[in-house]
Amino acid sequence: DAGITQSPRYKITETGRQVTLMCHQTWSHSYMFWYRQDLGHGLRLIYYSAAADITDKGEVPDGYVVSRSKTENFPLTLESATRSQTSVYFCASSDPTNTEAFFGQGTRLTVV
Amino acid sequence: AQRVTQPEKLLSVFKGAPVELKCNYSYSGSPELFWYVQYSRQRLQLLLRHISRESIKGFTADLNKGETSFHLKKPFAQEEDSAMYYCALYSSSASKIIFGSGTRLSIRP
């Protein structure tokens, strides 16, 4: 299917475990982003990528790792999950000629 | 620093009343500003962007560089406008999109 998809949609994990959230887009957009959505904080940028093999930290990168070996994939890894990382995570992509961001459906992550 | 501020977490108005969602930004250079909307159980999606100067679903937003604002307005609110609204800024220098904290708009019947 065309578009941007995230997996899993829901995830419960234990404190200290490593967990990876997947993001895949079919448009070949060069820009990709990871945000977390928390009540009172809105959407905060975790990491972003301007192209394959190029990533940069956003506002709240601590505890997260990203990679972008292929243009279409931008996985987000929580190296050792903490309860403060319980959130809804959104992946987005955009093209520099358009700049509109297209969002995935979100992943609701609960760390217990 | 690049920043987007939405001072209202929640805005509740009656159906048919005017709506104004406030957004202020901080950006050195010419900003590219957007409003995104998230309806219940739907993806976040673009509502409008300042460069297109169009009205979408009755909403308009004017960029005021003097006041560094990009407020979203609608003259007559509808119940289907109830949603979460985010103001966003595209930073061309950093190739990233920065969002405000969002305003939840609730339209009362």
Side-chain angles (χ1 to χ4, degrees):
Chain A
D1 290 336
I4 181 165
T5 54
Q6 293 181 233
S7 61
R9 292 292 312 279
Y10 303 93
K11 176 75 177 178
I12 300 174
T13 191
E14 293 178 339
T15 301
R17 289 196 180 267
Q18 182 181 81
V19 60
T20 297
L21 310 184
M22 305 301 292
C23 179
H24 175 79
Q25 52 109 351
T26 60
W27 295 301
S28 298
H29 285 165
S30 56
Y31 295 168
M32 293 189 76
F33 311 88
W34 274 106
Y35 296 90
R36 57 179 289 174
Q37 184 183 44
D38 303 289
L39 202 61
H41 293 281
L43 286 168
R44 291 182 292 176
L45 184 62
I46 306 170
Y47 269 96
Y48 61 107
S49 169
D53 297 322
I54 300 174
T55 61
D56 280 294
K57 294 179 180 180
E59 299 172 69
V60 289
D62 293 344
Y64 302 96
V65 174
V66 293
S67 61
R68 187 121 181 253
S69 57
K70 292 184 178 181
T71 299
E72 60 267 28
N73 296 323
F74 192 39
L76 176 74
T77 298
L78 287 67
E79 295 182 295
S80 177
T82 65
R83 288 182 181 167
S84 65
Q85 292 177 309
T86 292
S87 186
V88 180
Y89 291 85
F90 287 98
C91 178
S93 71
S94 73
D95 185 272
T97 61
N98 183 350
T99 67
E100 174 184 351
F102 295 87
F103 282 82
Q105 66 273 61
T107 295
R108 184 175 294 276
L109 175 69
T110 302
V111 183
V112 298
Chain B
Q2 300 159 353
R3 189 187 301 264
V4 176
T5 303
Q6 294 179 250
E8 304 138 330
K9 285 187 167 50
L10 173 66
L11 185 63
S12 182
V13 301
F14 284 106
K15 177 182 174 182
V19 171
E20 183 178 48
L21 299 168
K22 291 184 167 48
C23 172
N24 288 90
Y25 66 90
S26 173
Y27 185 70
S28 55
S30 292
E32 190 168 349
L33 288 154
F34 307 81
W35 276 99
Y36 284 80
V37 60
Q38 187 178 27
Y39 300 105
S40 180
R41 299 181 184 179
Q42 292 188 28
R43 298 183 188 218
L44 205 67
Q45 58 188 286
L46 180 67
L47 178 63
L48 55 79
R49 57 205 303 172
H50 89 272
I51 58 173
S52 59
R53 293 179 173 270
E54 55 190 346
S55 173
I56 304 292
K57 298 184 179 183
F59 285 98
T60 58
D62 291 319
L63 178 60
N64 185 324
K65 291 186 178 181
E67 296 183 357
T68 60
S69 67
F70 187 57
H71 303 328
L72 183 68
K73 298 178 184 179
K74 184 169 183 176
F76 307 104
Q78 303 298 314
E79 288 186 64
E80 56 265 30
D81 296 329
S82 292
M84 192 74 176
Y85 291 80
Y86 289 97
C87 184
L89 178 150
Y90 171 66
S91 168
S92 57
S93 60
S95 303
K96 63 182 180 181
I97 302 172
I98 301 163
F99 286 81
S101 54
T103 298
R104 181 165 296 283
L105 178 63
S106 174
I107 308 301
R108 291 176 281 176

